[in-house]
Amino acid sequence: MAQTLDTTFSALADPTRRAILAMLLEDDMAVTDVADPFDMSLAAISKHLVVLTTAGLITQEKRGRVKWCKLEPDAMRAASVWMQGFGQFEPVNLDAFERFLKAELPDIGTDT
């Protein structure tokens, strides 16, 4: 379980990856759409997506010629259970997590 937690928290430590998760809260997205709002190469975004996939926070699947990303909401369950052990944290509520991400990353998910 420790390795799973390390992988999850490591994936969540990066602001770009948290922004990607916030975007995927809305709906599944093509990799190219995920990359659009960021000022970095598609290769760099792909590396972030690999980290999120390895952590189990998202899945990727090929539909025709397009690779799609999907949020895996249950993936943070182990981290949530671990944090609850300290008695200071509530279970991960995806609605609350979405509000948190929107507050932290206000430009994500808005048309500019």
Side-chain angles (χ1 to χ4, degrees):
M1 180 163 151
Q3 178 136 14
T4 301
L5 286 174
D6 291 348
T7 304
T8 300
F9 286 123
S10 178
L12 293 172
D14 185 272
T16 299
R17 291 192 286 269
R18 291 192 306 269
I20 291 169
L21 291 174
M23 292 165 50
L24 292 174
L25 278 168
E26 299 297 322
D27 200 2
D28 299 357
M29 295 179 75
V31 170
T32 53
D33 293 333
V34 170
D36 267 350
F38 299 99
D39 187 25
M40 62 180 71
S41 69
L42 186 56
I45 289 296
S46 291
K47 287 180 183 182
H48 284 294
L49 294 174
V50 166
V51 171
L52 292 170
T53 301
T54 300
L57 297 172
I58 68 168
T59 54
Q60 295 184 65
E61 74 173 281
K62 197 131 183 171
R63 298 180 196 161
R65 295 180 358 184
V66 178
K67 196 174 222 180
W68 287 80
C69 301
K70 177 183 178 185
L71 182 69
E72 291 299 327
D74 290 335
M76 286 188 261
R77 185 171 315 240
S80 175
V81 168
W82 182 81
M83 288 187 295
Q84 287 174 43
F86 291 95
Q88 300 172 5
F89 300 96
E90 295 294 320
V92 171
N93 175 307
L94 287 181
D95 291 333
F97 184 56
E98 179 179 12
R99 287 189 300 275
F100 167 78
L101 288 174
K102 284 182 178 176
E104 290 293 312
L105 308 161
D107 295 333
I108 299 302
T110 61
D111 293 335
T112 52

